[in-house]
Structure formats: structure tokens, C-alpha cells
Amino acid sequence: MLTVLIDTDSGNLHSAEKAFQRMARETDGGRVLVSSRPEDVARADRVVLPGDGAFPACRAALVRDRSALHEALLETVEGRGRPFLGICVGMQLMAQRGFEYRETEGLGWIDADVVAIDPGDAALKVPHMGWNDLVIDRPHPVLDGLETGDHAYFVHSYHMAMRDPAQRLAHCDYGTDITAVVAHGTRVGTQFHPEKSQSAGLRLIANFLAWTP
Amino acid sequence: MLKTRIIPCLDVADGRVVKGVNFVDLRDAGDPVDAAIAYDAAGADELCFLDIHATHENRGTMFDLVTRTAEHCFMPLTIGGGVRTADDVRNLLLSGADKVSFNSAAVANPDVVSEAADRFGSQCIVVAIDAKAVSEDRWEIFTHGGRRPTGIDAVEFACTVVAKGAGEILLTSMDRDGTRAGFNLPMTRAISDAVSVPVIASGGVGTLDHLVEGVTKGGASAVLAASIFHFGDYSIAEAKAHMAAAGIPMRLT
């Protein structure tokens, strides 16, 4: 089994790579490869889209600059139904539209827009940065073993405003509801960084590697 | 609810911890990776490495250190010291840093902050401000380890770098650093109130009540300390329990 982490040149892939490698080793989860080559994504059994930075830049890296990579992603995830995990901006790209800097089209897999966080209280700083406790909205195989009250590490200034609450698996509170985990069919996304979230994050990664939707 | 963070900071020179870390069960007190693993296990919310003799010659040592730490610790890691350009940021991020901190380079040229934030996102750009009181309600930036005054007002500068895209401010009171007399609370409060991004209070922690005050009186989103943790005066767990007892939301593990 091959899990490909897509490299869009955006930032720190090293810790995501190490976290996936460790959990793959511990769970017989197969091989983990970081790549931006369309042919690697095309043969992947699982695809992870980590993302740091801004929505338009990540989108551009995926689509405008590398349409072959985008096509390979769509073929593997939409065409062949391989499990997909988006992390942080990688999760935000699953939405229909993003509004960071300017309106940008997303992958359209989740019925949501990505909008600026407005906690409605000047004491609540943006970025929403640090450990927040999860509220699990509905069970899902990737959340197996995680409970309401478990902490995850967030760092973001925009968040996913859902139109279909059934696609939200977990959220947290920051003056307003912050979408933490989304899912639709074979695709899941986490706003927080599982690779930075110690035991809860590593658990989620192991769950994803074992998930056979 | 978002929790207040406790961030132990390790001063590193040529790949080794200086000032030392005095933990039980540490194989090598001078190896930052061993110290990082110990803090990870102890429940630290983030880690900070400060390269105190950063030069081009020893940069490779820092990259190697960050890479090795990221292999063992699945928690956020901030690197500071000698960061001058957006390319320095990229190289540290590629090594495994989550956030990178500008200090003197941002004072010399605040535009380096916007260049780095545009390329990598505000979420990974920290600006470290070292300041001293020059009157009761005015604080001035000092560079070069607190030796060189700049005449720049710390509150104004904080607003400037946030407008340029800094995602977080690491605020050190130079006149408190190493004194164990507590944070400079009026300065911390003035800057926390002036900027929209999180402020990390640093410099002067001697007791657990100082950590509490940094949040309740200083308005900080996170507290950074070195010696009280390194020398085993208090554990991370004791600090968290003390802050939680004072009503501050903490991640208790």
C-alpha cells in the first residue's frame, strides 16, 4: 500500500512525513512517499494533502502551475475513490470557495466556504493558535479512539463555514464554532495538524492509514 | 476553549544546549534533541530553540538539530536566532520547524516580515521583540542581546510588524531577563492590547505565580520560560496545575 503526501512547496512537510512514516511502521500501513509528481499521485492507494500558507497559493500550486498533478489527484480520489486526507489549508481546499485575500475556487468536495475567523471578542486573538479541545459531532472510522475533550493543535486565521452540518465530524469553540474535522464519502479533512497533536494526532493518522471506506 | 500555552525555551550554541538542562532521566543534558523529547513527554505545549551564536558557518548544525527533533517530537517547534532572510525561513521550515522567529533583521528591515509572511503564511512567522523600559510607560527596542538601543518604541514596532504579517509576537523584557523577578507586566499588557495576534510573554520568570500574572495581568496568550524548567525548580505539570488552579484554561495531560 502506498500513501502519497502531496508536496505543494508550501512549508513544513518534514514533520508530516515523519508522523505518517512512524504510524505506517507501527500499523503495517505500507509505504509513505512525499512527492509532487503526478505519476506518484496516480498510483497512490491513499492521498494526503498537507497545507501551510495561504489558500490561493496552495490552490495555485496544485492547479495552475501543475495541472497534471491536479488531474492525477482528481483521477485517484474522484475516479478511483482512494481515501483522501486534507490537513489545515489542505482541508480548506476541499471546500467550494476560499476568501483568503480574494475569492478562489476550491476542490468542491465539501459544501462550505472558507472565511476569516471572527471570534467576536478582541481578547480572542487571530490566528487561532494553540491547543483546543475537540467536540465530536458524529462518529467516523478516522476518529476511532478520539473523544470529546481531546486536544488538537490549531494554527489558522480562516476556517470552514459549513452549509451541510452532516459533513462536520468535529468542531471546537473559539468565540464561534470552528470546524475541526470534515468528511464526505472517501474524503476527510482536519483543520488542526495531526502531525503536531501528539497522541490524539498520531491516533488519527493511524486510523486514516487503516480506513477502507 | 483555546488553552494557554507553556513554552520551554532552549538556548543552543553549536548544536548543544547552553546553560544546561538538569532533568532526571536525561541521557545527555547537552543534547537539545534529548531535552526536546523530555519536554514533549512532560506535556510542554510547544518548544522553542534559540540559536544564540547563529552564524552562517554553524547553520548546518541547526538544520540537523531541527530535523532530528522533528523526527521524535510531534509537537510545534519554533526556531529563532540569526534568521535574516525569507530563504533562511524556508530552509528552517524544510528542516522541520513549524514557526520561525525574526529578531534584529526585522528591526533593521521590517519588510523582511512581509516577504516571509507572503511566501509562507503569517501562521509561521514570529517576530521576537527585546525591549527595556525607558520610562514608566515607554519601552524601547534593544538589539544584539540587549546591548544596542534603537530608539524604536516597542508598542509601535509591534503594530508595524503585525501589519506586515507577523502571526505572533515573542516579547522579552530585557530588564527582567535572568532576574527571576517576573515579567514586565505593563509592557506585556500594552503590547497584547495593541495587537490582534497572540503575544508570548518572556523574560524574568522565577515563580509559578509569575506565569499566572503574565496571562491574567499581562494579557499574554502563552508564557515562555527557560531556567525554572531546565533546572527542575518546577515541572511543566506543576506549572500547568498552578495556572489551572488560578482559573486559566490549560491543557492538562
Side-chain angles (χ1 to χ4, degrees):
Chain A
M1 197 181 77
L2 176 67
T3 299
V4 172
L5 275 63
I6 299 181
D7 180 6
T8 55
D9 282 341
S10 58
N12 174 10
L13 271 185
H14 183 79
S15 34
E17 179 186 8
K18 291 298 159 196
F20 276 84
Q21 280 175 347
R22 172 167 157 184
M23 297 326 286
R25 207 163 49 234
E26 289 183 9
T27 62
D28 279 332
R31 225 153 57 80
V32 175
L33 179 67
V34 174
S35 174
S36 57
R37 297 169 58 203
E39 52 270 38
D40 289 330
V41 174
R43 67 191 172 98
D45 299 300
R46 290 170 201 282
V47 179
V48 181
L49 182 62
D52 282 322
F55 191 105
C58 287
R59 173 72 180 164
L62 196 61
V63 181
R64 189 180 64 226
D65 305 344
R66 304 162 179 213
S67 58
L69 177 62
H70 184 228
E71 281 164 23
L73 175 68
L74 295 184
E75 171 54 28
T76 302
V77 177
E78 292 183 354
R80 293 193 293 127
R82 297 292 187 245
F84 171 93
L85 171 64
I87 298 173
C88 197
V89 179
M91 172 259 218
Q92 295 182 355
L93 285 171
M94 298 167 76
Q96 274 148 341
R97 291 177 300 174
F99 288 89
E100 189 170 3
Y101 295 124
R102 58 183 175 272
E103 185 177 333
T104 308
E105 192 188 347
L107 291 161
W109 293 342
I110 297 288
D111 192 7
D113 286 338
V114 177
V115 300
I117 297 173
D118 179 12
D121 175 352
L124 298 178
K125 303 298 186 101
V126 176
H128 171 229
M129 185 185 290
W131 296 86
N132 207 327
D133 48 326
L134 300 172
V135 179
I136 309 284
D137 296 310
R138 44 183 53 79
H140 189 280
V142 300
L143 297 182
D144 187 35
L146 275 74
E147 294 173 1
T148 290
D150 283 348
H151 285 90
Y153 188 83
F154 292 81
V155 50
H156 60 126
S157 301
Y158 285 74
H159 73 128
M160 205 184 257
M162 308 294 291
R163 272 186 292 270
D164 179 0
Q167 294 180 336
R168 191 178 82 179
L169 298 185
H171 71 279
C172 63
D173 171 43
Y174 195 55
T176 178
D177 274 10
I178 301 282
T179 302
V181 187
V182 295
H184 181 227
T186 57
R187 301 149 208 173
V188 293
T190 64
Q191 179 62 67
F192 58 85
H193 287 269
E195 76 280 15
K196 290 285 148 191
S197 295
Q198 295 179 332
S199 58
L202 294 175
R203 178 72 191 247
L204 185 141
I205 289 171
N207 289 342
F208 174 73
L209 292 172
W211 183 37
T212 48
Chain B
M1 184 186 286
L2 190 69
K3 305 304 189 285
T4 297
R5 290 167 281 153
I6 292 187
I7 308 173
C9 180
L10 295 162
D11 286 357
V12 174
D14 302 319
R16 303 285 293 175
V17 180
V18 290
K19 288 199 268 190
V21 177
N22 187 10
F23 277 164
V24 281
D25 298 335
L26 206 57
R27 280 178 306 167
D28 175 359
D31 183 4
V33 179
D34 278 351
I37 291 168
Y39 277 125
D40 190 21
D45 296 307
E46 292 184 16
L47 274 177
C48 180
F49 285 171
L50 190 61
D51 191 350
I52 59 167
H53 292 158
T55 61
H56 276 293
E57 294 76 54
N58 70 16
R59 266 292 163 197
T61 324
M62 197 61 179
F63 295 145
D64 173 60
L65 185 59
V66 173
T67 301
R68 287 194 296 130
T69 304
E71 281 166 17
H72 293 99
C73 299
F74 298 100
M75 66 186 306
L77 177 64
T78 300
I79 307 295
V83 179
R84 309 209 187 285
T85 64
D87 284 335
D88 290 343
V89 175
R90 174 163 168 80
N91 289 330
L92 286 165
L93 293 176
L94 285 177
S95 302
D98 297 287
K99 296 188 264 186
V100 175
S101 166
F102 283 109
N103 189 323
S104 310
V107 177
N109 173 23
D111 287 337
V112 75
V113 175
S114 41
E115 192 194 331
D118 287 350
R119 274 177 72 184
F120 311 113
S122 292
Q123 83 291 336
C124 67
I125 304 300
V126 182
V127 173
I129 298 179
D130 297 343
K132 282 186 198 178
V134 289
S135 71
E136 197 174 311
D137 57 356
R138 192 180 134 81
W139 305 276
E140 199 175 295
I141 308 253
F142 282 68
T143 57
H144 299 81
R147 295 187 303 276
R148 191 176 296 180
T150 63
I152 299 170
D153 180 79
V155 179
E156 277 175 32
F157 181 73
C159 294
T160 300
V161 293
V162 169
K164 295 212 176 267
E168 192 169 41
I169 300 290
L170 167 52
L171 177 65
T172 302
S173 32
M174 297 305 300
D175 35 12
R176 296 301 184 97
D177 207 21
T179 65
R180 295 182 165 243
F183 296 122
N184 183 328
L185 296 172
M187 176 173 81
T188 307
R189 173 53 76 178
I191 290 184
S192 293
D193 285 350
V195 299
S196 57
V197 304
V199 172
I200 305 169
S202 156
V205 174
T207 70
L208 298 183
D209 282 331
H210 291 154
L211 299 176
V212 172
E213 289 169 353
V215 178
T216 56
K217 297 183 182 162
S221 297
V223 288
L224 180 141
S227 42
I228 64 160
F229 296 130
H230 297 340
F231 299 116
D233 300 1
Y234 302 101
S235 68
I236 299 284
E238 284 168 335
K240 287 189 165 184
H242 190 83
M243 293 172 78
I248 298 170
M250 303 300 296
R251 180 179 70 111
L252 304 171
T253 47

